[in-house]
Amino acid sequence: MAETTLGHVDHTAPRPPGLRGFIADWSSDQRAFKGVSWGKAMMWIFLLSDTFIFGCFLLSYMTARMSTVVPWPNPSEVFALHLFGQNIPLILIAIMTFVLISSSGTMAMAVNFGYRRDRRKTAILMLLTAALGATFVGMQAFEWTKLISEGVRPWENPWGAAQFGSTFFMITGFHGTHVTIGVIFLLIVARKVWRGDYETGERGFFTSRRGQYESVEIMGLYWHFVDLVWVFIFAFFYLW
């Protein structure tokens, strides 16, 4: 025990030396470890595991693309839309990206108003985020339909390397599934916000302690992750 400059007795045990002391000091941090709810901690763990999955998918795609001896299809030609009498490259992908990135902004505002306990604005912004996410999924479905009608299959395509179809459907399909699940949960949480479940503390799924809008923040973590993953897909698959 040691006496501080204010006259108080410090009961803190001395830190052990070396690596043991570093581990003890790091693991005793109250804010980083003991102040986090189970819901938020589990979401971070889920996002970390999902990062490894998407990373493996992208690495597999890059390996397949660099190892094939057959020319890889040109994204500017494959993903072009015929508008106004001419082919416009990547126009649909650009709109999809703008929509999804915009939804990240509305989600951030929803979390902000959730902290302020503004039920109405939080619910409206979450519904707007869900609408933008559904729009993204709808445009992705149109993109898939167009490519399938043009002969793209997981095992072949009319433009070049056969691996193009399998990697495209696997990566974009897995991401689109995440967006779809996110839209469903956004609607669920927005409904609970609108009904005031987070104000009354009503028991049920995705209901935190009374007066706490933590579920909105957890939903925001998931949604920002989905948007971030799309940035990498856009860069590696559509621009490369």
Side-chain angles (χ1 to χ4, degrees), residues 15-26:
R15 194 180 88 170
L19 180 62
R20 183 181 173 188
F22 172 79
I23 296 174
D25 183 59
W26 184 259

Side-chain angles (χ1 to χ4, degrees), residues 198-212:
Y198 298 112
E199 294 293 340
T200 61
E202 182 175 340
R203 298 176 65 87
F205 292 106
F206 309 110
T207 303
S208 56
R209 297 182 300 276
R210 182 176 181 179
Q212 299 292 326

Side-chain angles (χ1 to χ4, degrees), residues 14-95:
R15 194 180 88 170
L19 180 62
R20 183 181 173 188
F22 172 79
I23 296 174
D25 183 59
W26 184 259
S27 62
S28 65
D29 191 313
Q30 299 291 320
R31 292 172 298 175
F33 294 93
K34 296 182 181 179
V36 178
S37 68
W38 274 107
K40 192 181 297 184
M42 292 302 103
M43 176 55 72
W44 276 113
I45 293 173
F46 167 75
L47 296 182
L48 180 62
S49 64
D50 229 20
T51 300
F52 289 129
I53 296 175
F54 275 108
C56 289
F57 280 175
L58 290 174
L59 285 174
S60 299
Y61 157 72
M62 289 186 286
T63 301
R65 180 164 179 174
M66 290 186 293
S67 62
T68 181
V69 295
V70 181
W72 198 263
N74 186 353
S76 296
E77 298 177 3
V78 176
F79 301 108
L81 280 183
H82 189 75
L83 298 172
F84 310 111
Q86 59 181 340
N87 289 327
I88 303 178
L90 300 176
I91 181 64
L92 178 63
I93 312 304
I95 297 174

